[in-house]
Amino acid sequence: MLDESLLDTPERLTEADRRGRRRGAAEAGARVRTAARHAAEAGVGNLKPDGRPRAVLIAGPGAAATHAADLLGTLAGAGSPVIRLAPTGVAPAAGALRWELPGWAGSVDLLLIATPDGAEPGLSLLAEQAYRRGCTVVAVAPGRSPLSDAVSASHGLLIPMATAPYDHDEPLAGAAPGVLWALLTPLLALLDRTALLDAPPEALDKVADRLDRVAERCGPAVVTYSNPAKTLAAELAESLPVIWTEGTSAGPAGRRFAAGLAELSGTPAVVADLPEALAAHNALLAGQLAATADPDDFFRDRVEEAPALHARVVLLRDRPSGGLTAAPNARDLALGHDTPISELEPEAGGELETLAELIAVTDFAAVYLALASGA
């Protein structure tokens, strides 16, 4: 059950946030600035690549590396394929995971390693394997770690991860907001130098400013009715989020939101891109999860019995209301099945800024839902 009163009591929110998740979301802008500074100090701005890599390979544990690969692949477009190397192993533990380069990887390819730990033996072995194949290796990881030694031995570039003091209090969740921006920002700066995407220093400054503005709008002191993240968290309570995305940048933001809901609050969610989502989820909205599938029984014991789970559509868009859009059909489909719908659309700006805003608002929402649900 969601404790809605907690959302509007900043003191209780702080007390419930024993893992610093809300603080990580609030400090996302600062993480971007620190990470950009670390990238500059590591010499990323002085790099002069011979040309674009044939392929960009990304390896790392957990959700942060997955989301970084998704975001970079979306932003890079067709310039060079961005491929995440999925780990194998018997458990999601640092010592149990292994990564392998594809057989075709060689001297014209770029390997990116992103990890908030740096103690995974499998990543050190991967760096050594890449060196033998002639791949260029760049890692974002804690400065003093076994991986940093392996990257140095492989003649690669290590960019120290931007950390906060509270990061070491408990194991970091892969979906934690601070972790994503600490790993993603240096990689954006690097791929800007290779001309795979457009992320110059001034664009990263705008991203940090946008994240700061979202933190002001979605902070714990802002009451629910004027706080888009708290409002979304309250709307998603005891529902199955059906996340529909429209626009290039909204896709990875929606997939990250679904992963964050599962990892932080234990809330399952499904996600799909418009317009295909209309066909993919039509039967879902018309089935047992529809609002009309289990009409409220007047004689139901509201204390002993949990309420029925119903779907709620969350529409994430990164394009203006005008132009070619499937949003009207999405609204008609949801409302035609008596399914409530929540909508998020960022303010105008560059692609990185609008993407950052969608990620930041949904990150805050996932954190608030976790805290108010006691997760």
Side-chain angles (χ1 to χ4, degrees), residues 75 198 203 206-207 210 249 318 346-357:
L75 293 169
D198 187 23
K206 291 181 179 179
V207 167
R210 181 70 67 100
S249 299
D318 70 346
E347 297 176 1
E351 185 175 26
L352 277 176
E353 292 177 79
T354 57
L355 174 59
E357 181 175 337

Side-chain angles (χ1 to χ4, degrees), residues 61 86-100 117 119-123 125:
T88 59
V90 297
L97 297 177
R98 292 292 182 271
W99 289 262
E100 291 290 336
D117 188 338
E120 303 91 348
L123 290 177
L125 293 173

Side-chain angles (χ1 to χ4, degrees), residues 297-313:
D297 182 357
F298 180 80
F299 297 101
R300 178 174 63 83
D301 188 331
R302 289 163 175 76
V303 175
E304 297 295 334
E305 297 180 25
L309 183 68
H310 296 304
R312 184 182 189 96
V313 170

Side-chain angles (χ1 to χ4, degrees), residues 7-10 216-231 368:
L7 292 177
D8 286 330
T9 311
E216 292 175 0
R217 291 167 49 213
C218 299
V222 181
V223 295
T224 298
Y225 68 83
S226 59
N227 186 320
K230 287 184 180 180
T231 298
Y368 283 132

Side-chain angles (χ1 to χ4, degrees), residues 18 21 34 64 83 133 208-209 213 216 221 227 243 329 338 343 349:
R18 294 180 295 274
R21 291 173 291 193
T34 303
I83 303 168
R133 296 273 200 94
D209 292 341
R213 291 200 296 273
E216 292 175 0
N227 186 320
I243 303 169
N329 288 334
D338 293 323
E343 298 190 39

Side-chain angles (χ1 to χ4, degrees), residues 32-160:
V32 169
R33 295 185 182 90
T34 303
R37 186 177 70 251
H38 286 186
E41 292 171 351
V44 169
N46 298 323
L47 295 176
K48 297 180 180 179
D50 294 333
R52 292 183 176 184
R54 177 181 61 179
V56 178
L57 308 171
I58 300 183
T66 302
H67 299 157
D70 192 6
L71 290 161
L72 293 174
T74 298
L75 293 169
S80 289
V82 177
I83 303 168
R84 177 179 178 256
L85 302 181
T88 59
V90 297
L97 297 177
R98 292 292 182 271
W99 289 262
E100 291 290 336
L101 290 175
W104 48 262
S107 59
V108 292
D109 301 310
L110 172 63
L111 171 65
L112 305 178
I113 299 176
T115 172
D117 188 338
E120 303 91 348
L123 290 177
S124 296
L125 293 173
L126 179 67
E128 296 171 5
Q129 182 186 7
Y131 175 65
R132 292 194 300 270
R133 296 273 200 94
C135 295
T136 300
V137 180
V138 178
V140 182
R144 295 182 180 180
S145 63
L147 178 61
S148 64
D149 296 334
V151 171
S152 177
S154 303
H155 301 284
L157 173 64
L158 175 77
I159 305 173

